[in-house]
Amino acid sequence: MTTLLPPALRTARELVEPTLRSAVARLDADTRRVGEYHFGWIGVDGAPTDAGGKALRPAMVLAATETACGTAEHGVPAAAAVELVHNFSLLHDDVMDGDTSRRHRPTAWTVFGSSAAILAGDALLAVAPEVLLESDVPNAAVAVRSLLTTTRVLIAGQTADLGFERRQDVDLTECLGMAHDKTAALLACACSIGPLSAGAPRESVRALHAYGTELGMAFQLVDDLLGLWGDPEVTGKPVLSDLRTRKKSVPVVHALTSGTAAGERLWELYEQPEQLTEAQLCEAAEMVRRAGSEDWTRGECRRRLELAEAQLEVGSLGDTAALGELAEFIVRRKL
Ligand SMILES: CC(C)=CCC/C(C)=C/CC/C(C)=C/COP(=O)(O)OP(=O)(O)O
């Protein structure tokens, strides 16, 4: 999988992994095992493996720190802290959604049980501020505050996402707000926390935060599209599972509120009390497409990318090529 990743992501993994490993090594032995499995460092049998996520957020932290401060290395503690919070959210999300595979492997809760996976998530969240506070970055306390505020927003986004499953009146604005809170907020934090922790000018931090917000929205929109039409061999998670649990993702809400015949049919499927069959899941995805919601989502994604790029003009930043490469990856990614 790592061979499919752009060099910036592979480099970020190499730079940040030692800090991540030593953070996870602080946990009690049982929780540590769950954390190391989730990060892809060990298999179910405890033997070393080389799996894991894309390390997109650490790469964003490092690229943004380089842009604002001239060197990426100052961003390593912040990059590790953001990745710890991200992985806390994934561990919990998999339990809440009952998802059985992630990153091409069985999810942690299916291997170790829900309680162990929840505790491992809690532990990652707890060590994230420690990593920052024990580092030698000049503004660690301010960075921790940004991380904690972002975590609170993330929780609000997840709460909204789960609540939407039971609601029939979710509109597109609300849905985009949920996508902001559960995903874009952490990318905004990723793009600003490195420069913030290293004492970069306020104007640069603000521009990078706004950049990450727009890019984070694009990232979630692509994620929603991959959930409908992605290749599970590439994404490492099952396709159509959002439809199975009748999630109100952005393309789905766009279709449901489109006033089209396809949108009406999608409502019928979503309101059916029985589980959707495989054929009905495929039909539901097709209704999203026919309602024009795939095209709309792709267009919105491009618009967000342009809004993001405009932010880089106003932040008195250095070379933004690395950030630009990551943005390209975000909108073109298949995994
Ligand atoms: C509080 C709580 C439980 C919040 C949950 C929020 C949540 C799971 C949001 C989804 C974010 C998302 C698209 C993750 C995949 O990231 P990725 O594709 O970068 O993952 P990777 O690290 O596996 O590459």
Side-chain angles (χ1 to χ4, degrees):
M1 194 276 284
T2 48
T3 50
L4 294 169
L5 297 175
L9 296 184
R10 278 182 277 151
T11 308
R13 253 176 92 152
E14 279 159 28
L15 264 175
V16 175
E17 199 169 295
T19 310
L20 278 178
R21 280 185 185 265
S22 62
V24 175
R26 295 170 180 214
L27 310 182
D28 68 88
D30 288 346
T31 311
R32 175 180 179 174
R33 191 153 158 250
V34 183
E36 291 184 341
Y37 171 83
H38 171 76
F39 272 110
W41 303 329
I42 60 169
V44 178
D45 56 1
T49 51
D50 183 19
K54 296 182 282 297
L56 175 68
R57 291 155 195 80
M60 301 301 299
V61 176
L62 298 180
T65 310
E66 187 170 11
T67 299
C69 311
T71 163
E73 272 73 13
H74 292 323
V76 169
V82 168
E83 190 66 353
L84 287 162
V85 170
H86 167 57
N87 282 280
F88 134 76
S89 80
L90 297 184
L91 278 160
H92 283 201
D93 186 53
D94 287 339
V95 175
M96 292 174 198
D97 287 350
D99 283 336
T100 54
S101 67
R102 172 176 296 281
R103 300 170 172 167
H104 303 271
R105 309 203 310 168
T107 44
W109 73 269
T110 64
V111 177
F112 301 98
S114 300
S115 302
I118 290 169
L119 286 167
D122 293 341
L124 300 189
L125 188 59
V127 290
E130 287 183 345
V131 168
L132 274 165
L133 292 169
E134 290 168 17
S135 73
D136 56 5
V137 295
N139 287 336
V142 182
V144 167
R145 201 163 90 176
S146 162
L147 200 63
L148 296 180
T149 305
T150 304
T151 306
R152 182 158 46 76
V153 175
L154 217 66
I155 291 167
Q158 180 76 348
T159 304
D161 195 13
L162 296 174
F164 285 3
E165 288 173 30
R166 297 185 303 273
R167 280 181 44 196
Q168 284 146 348
D169 59 348
V170 179
D171 66 27
L172 197 54
T173 308
E174 231 184 330
C175 189
L176 288 164
M178 178 274 290
H180 167 272
D181 290 355
K182 83 166 178 178
T183 303
L186 191 59
L187 267 89
C189 177
C191 287
S192 53
I193 192 171
L196 187 69
S197 70
R202 193 178 293 196
E203 186 197 15
S204 306
V205 173
R206 204 177 296 133
L208 286 163
H209 191 274
Y211 174 78
T213 299
E214 298 304 341
L215 212 54
M217 290 301 294
F219 178 84
Q220 182 57 51
L221 296 176
V222 172
D223 211 72
D224 288 347
L225 292 172
L226 289 175
L228 290 166
W229 296 290
D231 176 356
E233 292 287 313
V234 180
T235 62
K237 42 190 182 187
V239 73
L240 301 179
S241 61
D242 283 358
L243 292 179
R244 204 182 298 275
T245 51
R246 294 162 217 219
K247 277 244 181 284
K248 306 257 173 25
S249 69
V250 174
V252 164
V253 169
H254 183 272
L256 289 173
T257 57
S258 63
T260 61
E264 284 304 310
R265 175 64 187 142
L266 185 61
W267 263 126
E268 279 171 27
L269 291 165
Y270 257 48
E271 299 217 304
Q272 165 186 308
E274 303 85 37
Q275 275 217 333
L276 294 172
T277 63
E278 292 305 310
Q280 286 172 325
L281 288 170
C282 292
E283 186 191 351
E286 181 54 25
M287 291 307 116
V288 176
R289 200 187 311 258
R290 279 206 211 154
S293 306
E294 183 191 7
D295 287 346
W296 181 86
T297 306
R298 289 197 194 286
E300 181 64 8
C301 197
R302 279 192 296 276
R303 192 178 77 83
R304 297 286 181 162
L305 185 64
E306 282 163 22
L307 287 173
E309 279 162 358
Q311 291 301 325
L312 297 183
E313 308 292 318
V314 296
S316 309
L317 299 164
D319 184 0
T320 57
L323 279 177
E325 271 172 43
L326 291 172
E328 270 297 297
F329 169 75
I330 281 177
V331 293
R332 293 193 192 288
R333 73 193 175 102
K334 301 278 181 257
L335 73 165

